[in-house]
Amino acid sequence: MNDLIILDIFWDRQLVKDKSGKEFEIFRGKDYDHDWVHLGHGYSKNKEWIYFYLNTCFEQHLKNIDIASFILIEANEAENTIYFKDKNAVYLKSYMCGFEILPEVNPNNFRIIDIDNGYSTSGKFDYWYESKLPYSLSEMTPINGCYQRVGDAIYYGHTVRMTCDVDTFEQVHPKVDTLFKDKDHLYFKSKIVEGANPATFKFLEECIGEDAPYYLECDIHYYAKDDQYAYFVNEPFGIKTIKTGDLENFRFEVIDEIGYGRDSKYRYEKGKRKKIE
């Protein structure tokens, strides 16, 4: 090894040349750094550190991790979701939660049910990503990507039990996953939209219909109204009530690829009022 000239270094191997000029690769964990272990999907470890390619990772969690028994269970790189375990716990790294220890999990009986949707199980408990579910997955029926029905209850995000009328709970529009209604209320995610009338609430066809024109963020930004107010709906983040004085004439228009709500006096960009000159 001391007679070799290193030509290039990779995270798991080196390109070297011997005295005769012959070039070949030597492998980390086999030919050098003998305590180094390849975990898979770019992760590795030695006796002291865990690595992602050439960089150390999970440093702030190493006090809880038993490195000697730490392994990678399964990964979905497209969804940035990876499960690990050691002799004491199961760990999840995901775009949904960062790096977390799954609560009350026995690593000996832990099993991934559906890595694409973050479902797993251990003993008496089922999990959605890092969250321990208050019900069994076998009892759950998805309504859409945001809401689930379990018996006579509706949950938002798998863990927040809604206070709603289950029998009349329904999606307002198929393009908007975060807005539902029942006979009494309109809901954005798990919260009641105060003052909204579910019986008359509707999206403006000009911005959500099949023939709606293109505008910036047309897949998440919409305008709506009921018999009291107009609304700007930002599907991932919130709903803003617009107290227009001209509700009858409130409509939608596109100018230079920007979508606006408007009435006879004002134009509304992302729900913010600007006087029409």
Side-chain angles (χ1 to χ4, degrees):
M1 292 289 294
N2 294 333
D3 296 330
L4 299 177
I5 298 173
I6 298 174
L7 301 177
D8 207 349
I9 298 175
F10 304 92
W11 70 281
D12 60 346
R13 66 195 188 282
Q14 296 178 0
L15 178 64
V16 299
K17 181 170 65 175
D18 63 18
K19 288 182 178 180
S20 71
K22 180 183 178 181
E23 295 182 8
F24 56 95
E25 290 182 334
I26 58 175
F27 294 90
R28 195 174 180 187
K30 176 184 176 183
D31 303 308
Y32 66 101
D33 283 356
H34 296 288
D35 67 340
W36 181 91
V37 179
H38 182 207
L39 300 174
H41 298 278
Y43 288 89
S44 60
K45 68 178 182 178
N46 60 22
K47 292 179 180 179
E48 296 180 343
W49 300 100
I50 299 168
Y51 298 87
F52 183 61
Y53 292 103
L54 286 172
N55 299 315
T56 58
C57 60
F58 310 151
E59 289 98 331
Q60 68 191 64
H61 305 283
L62 291 182
K63 61 182 181 294
N64 297 317
I65 294 173
D66 180 73
I67 295 180
S69 60
F70 187 81
I71 62 172
L72 189 152
I73 306 171
E74 187 176 342
N76 181 341
E77 293 187 25
E79 296 293 332
N80 192 22
T81 296
I82 304 176
Y83 289 88
F84 305 88
K85 72 175 182 178
D86 61 19
K87 66 180 184 179
N88 300 314
V90 172
Y91 309 87
L92 173 62
K93 178 183 179 294
S94 174
Y95 74 104
M96 290 292 291
C97 61
F99 186 87
E100 296 288 341
I101 301 174
L102 273 62
E104 299 183 58
V105 164
N106 181 344
N108 296 320
N109 63 20
F110 175 78
R111 180 170 57 89
I112 297 167
I113 297 174
D114 181 350
I115 193 170
D116 295 340
N117 289 301
Y119 297 138
S120 61
T121 187
S122 176
K124 299 184 297 181
F125 302 116
D126 291 338
Y127 296 81
W128 179 65
Y129 292 98
E130 84 286 13
S131 298
K132 186 176 73 172
L133 296 177
Y135 50 81
S136 169
L137 282 169
S138 62
E139 302 171 336
M140 184 268 290
T141 301
I143 297 173
N144 65 8
C146 296
Y147 297 88
Q148 301 76 37
R149 180 162 182 167
V150 181
D152 60 353
I154 301 292
Y155 287 83
Y156 171 75
H158 291 82
T159 59
V160 179
R161 183 165 179 161
M162 301 281 294
T163 302
C164 64
D165 182 75
V166 174
D167 293 334
T168 60
F169 191 77
E170 63 179 349
Q171 192 166 355
V172 176
H173 194 283
K175 286 187 178 181
V176 185
D177 285 346
T178 52
L179 205 67
F180 272 64
K181 67 179 180 179
D182 63 13
K183 65 182 181 63
D184 298 314
H185 299 291
L186 181 73
Y187 303 87
F188 180 80
K189 295 187 177 180
S190 61
K191 304 295 184 182
I192 292 172
V193 181
E194 297 294 343
N197 184 347
T200 58
F201 183 94
K202 63 181 180 179
F203 285 96
L204 303 185
E205 275 297 306
E206 297 89 347
C207 68
I208 205 169
E210 292 300 322
D211 297 326
Y214 170 81
Y215 55 95
L216 296 174
E217 300 181 296
C218 60
D219 57 337
I220 58 172
H221 287 179
Y222 308 101
Y223 284 85
K225 66 180 181 179
D226 60 17
D227 59 353
Q228 298 293 321
Y229 305 109
Y231 303 88
F232 168 67
V233 178
N234 184 337
E235 181 183 7
F237 300 113
I239 180 170
K240 179 178 176 61
T241 301
I242 300 171
K243 296 181 178 180
T244 172
D246 188 17
L247 185 62
E248 182 178 355
N249 291 309
F250 188 85
R251 58 195 185 277
F252 178 78
E253 64 181 11
V254 177
I255 302 174
D256 296 331
E257 295 190 347
I258 297 176
Y260 298 94
R262 69 160 296 171
D263 55 28
S264 56
K265 292 184 178 180
Y266 299 99
R267 185 171 287 122
Y268 302 84
E269 182 177 0
K270 296 182 180 180
K272 295 181 180 180
R273 188 175 72 179
K274 296 182 179 181
K275 191 170 182 64
I276 298 173
E277 301 296 337

